[in-house]
Amino acid sequence: MKKIMGIMAAALMLAGSLCADEARIQNVLAKIRRGEKVTVAVLGGSITTGYSSNPISSNSWAAKTEEWFKSVCEKSGSSLTFLNEGVSGTDSAFAVARVQDHIIKNKVDLVILEFAVNDQWLDSKTRQRTYEGLIRQIMNNSDTAVLALFVNTRENESLPSQQYEQQPICEHYHIPFVSWKDCVLKNGKKSDFQNFYDGQETVHPNNAGHASIASFIVEKLKGYWDNLPADKALPAVAKKLPAPKTDDAFEFVTYYHKDNISPSSNTGWKIGGTPRHDDWIKRGSVREGWQTNEAGSEITFEVEGSTIGLTYAESDQFRNATAWVTGPDGKDSQKVILQCFQAYRKGYYGWAYKELVHGDKVQKYTVHIQCSKRASADRAGKYCNVTGIIAAGK
């Protein structure tokens, strides 16, 4: 009886505050135990790339997590491919455009998702839908395992992140998670967060912070490994997902860029330009869009979707643009500002996403993008840009 209670307690500790779907992760770890080839990936933003750890190759949370996988693979004779698919500035909206190239095409067995920090700056009407769509792209009709990682920023009291929105979505799909904040605070060490960042840095942890994050991920994985059932007792993976919690539009995404769409009209925009992020180049599958520095110049595209949005780059070297869509009824949507100019991004650019229309059925739209007609003296002659168009919806 004591043994049974002990097993039950261990299972509860492993699951945390949710009923974790152990089947997917257990089946991946069983492949390692059998000596089979496995591919593990981490997908996120600059915290996933290892920014502020030094050297990244050994001290980032991803590198330290890779060390654990290497150790168990070496002991079992399994062949490991570990992919760091972090790209600085990636939020879940940009991830839904990247996931096919960087995760699904690589036939990843297990992916760790890190978007709780970057999604703070994503529009509140979008971020839960894109996070859920990302999960559905990865998991629906596949046996790929997902582990969610919730990291946070340095702020003393709130330690903000989007865990409060993302955790319910993970629970909906029975996805196990690791919450950095919850794990640290459970040990009564709130003050440790001041030691996990250097200087005035508030977003990117230092080596100690990355080591702390990795320790809790490894603890989670080791819990699964140490309690892994025999092959005959492994649970089956349910490949069909439940109905979406928000909507399923972002499960079905076409990402338009210079290689797969041509403008229907154009008065001054050119292909390519600055937005070729080093992180993206390292990961492969570079996607370029269009840019211009001609005030008032407009470019249009014909696309189909229930949700239409634009990805663009931000920098202190850019100028803003305006965007809208014309619907099948010939009416224009409300115009939105693409804030390509961001004063705080000095000598560096980040990604952003702006939704133009969100409907409940797929329709044809004309997307309009216009370079700002007005610009301050220091903005005149600067470029605005669009890196791509996200058309979502089945």
Side-chain angles (χ1 to χ4, degrees):
M1 184 65 179
K2 288 182 179 179
K3 184 176 181 180
I4 294 174
M5 293 298 292
I7 294 172
M8 291 176 64
L12 287 171
M13 288 177 65
L14 184 64
S17 61
L18 75 160
C19 178
D21 180 4
E22 300 178 350
R24 290 174 181 259
I25 288 183
Q26 285 182 335
N27 276 272
V28 173
L29 295 179
K31 289 180 67 174
I32 295 176
R33 185 175 60 187
R34 293 193 297 268
E36 299 176 15
K37 179 181 179 179
V38 293
T39 299
V40 177
V42 294
L43 179 66
S46 55
I47 297 174
T48 294
T49 67
Y51 189 85
S52 284
S53 64
N54 186 28
I56 289 175
S57 59
S58 59
N59 283 321
S60 65
W61 73 260
K64 290 186 174 296
T65 301
E66 181 181 5
E67 286 179 8
W68 182 83
F69 276 104
K70 282 182 176 179
S71 68
V72 294
C73 286
E74 287 174 0
K75 291 176 182 177
S76 61
S78 173
S79 173
L80 172 70
T81 299
F82 191 95
L83 305 172
N84 187 329
E85 299 295 350
V87 171
S88 297
T90 301
D91 52 30
S92 58
F94 199 39
V96 300
R98 291 183 48 214
V99 67
Q100 290 291 330
D101 283 336
H102 295 162
I103 298 297
I104 295 172
K105 285 183 180 179
N106 288 321
K107 298 181 179 179
V108 171
D109 296 291
L110 168 62
V111 57
I112 303 175
L113 302 180
E114 178 268 307
F115 294 103
V117 167
N118 281 359
D119 275 14
Q120 291 179 92
W121 301 291
L122 188 59
D123 190 284
S124 60
K125 297 178 182 179
T126 303
R127 59 192 180 215
Q128 294 181 65
R129 293 163 46 232
T130 54
Y131 188 73
E132 181 169 19
L134 173 64
I135 288 170
R136 292 184 69 88
Q137 281 196 58
I138 294 169
M139 292 179 61
N140 206 6
N141 299 312
S142 82
D143 55 6
T144 302
V146 174
L147 175 65
L149 170 63
F150 306 137
V151 291
N152 48 267
T153 54
R154 183 180 190 171
E155 279 78 356
N156 291 336
E157 297 300 324
S158 55
L159 299 170
S161 79
Q162 293 309 121
Q163 177 179 341
Y164 75 97
E165 289 182 338
Q166 294 178 358
Q167 181 175 327
I169 294 173
C170 289
E171 291 173 346
H172 183 70
Y173 294 98
H174 307 298
I175 293 172
F177 64 82
V178 172
S179 166
W180 187 31
K181 175 181 67 176
D182 290 351
C183 289
V184 172
L185 298 186
K186 183 178 180 181
N187 294 329
K189 297 182 178 181
K190 188 173 184 177
S191 61
D192 280 5
F193 282 107
Q194 296 308 309
N195 300 319
F196 291 152
Y197 299 84
D198 291 335
Q200 300 300 310
E201 178 63 68
T202 61
V203 174
H204 303 100
N206 58 20
N207 283 358
H210 278 272
S212 175
I213 294 168
S215 71
F216 296 118
I217 296 173
V218 169
E219 180 182 6
K220 187 79 164 183
L221 293 168
K222 192 173 184 300
Y224 283 115
W225 181 258
D226 292 344
N227 294 280
L228 194 59
D231 281 357
K232 291 183 179 180
L234 286 169
V237 172
K239 296 184 179 182
K240 186 176 181 180
L241 299 182
K245 185 175 176 64
T246 58
D247 66 46
D248 65 353
F250 287 98
E251 180 183 346
F252 310 98
V253 169
T254 300
Y255 188 50
Y256 292 107
H257 43 84
K258 68 149 178 108
D259 295 326
N260 62 3
I261 194 172
S262 297
S264 52
S265 67
N266 184 4
T267 60
W269 290 70
K270 297 179 180 179
I271 287 174
T274 302
R276 290 173 57 94
H277 200 295
D278 287 345
D279 286 345
W280 188 291
I281 294 171
K282 291 176 184 175
R283 312 306 172 215
S285 302
V286 177
R287 306 304 185 195
E288 288 186 288
W290 308 265
Q291 68 172 14
T292 186
N293 62 354
E294 297 182 22
S297 61
E298 185 176 328
I299 190 170
T300 67
F301 300 90
E302 305 298 325
V303 300
E304 289 188 15
S306 60
T307 295
I308 308 295
L310 300 173
T311 59
Y312 57 97
E314 305 169 321
S315 169
D316 64 335
Q317 298 301 309
F318 295 149
R319 68 189 293 173
N320 292 343
T322 303
W324 68 97
V325 298
T326 302
D329 57 1
K331 295 181 179 179
D332 289 345
S333 69
Q334 182 178 359
K335 293 183 178 181
V336 300
I337 302 299
L338 306 184
Q339 295 178 314
C340 302
F341 170 68
Q342 291 289 356
Y344 71 92
R345 291 197 180 276
K346 298 185 182 301
Y348 172 81
Y349 66 85
W351 304 111
Y353 172 81
K354 182 69 73 172
E355 194 163 276
L356 305 182
V357 64
H358 172 213
D360 56 5
K361 62 179 180 180
V362 172
Q363 300 184 89
K364 293 182 178 180
Y365 292 94
T366 301
V367 177
H368 304 257
I369 311 159
Q370 185 181 76
C371 181
S372 177
K373 294 181 180 179
R374 297 181 180 179
S376 59
D378 62 334
R379 296 292 95 213
K382 300 291 186 180
Y383 282 85
C384 58
N385 69 89
V386 170
T387 55
I389 306 167
I390 292 180
K394 187 175 183 180

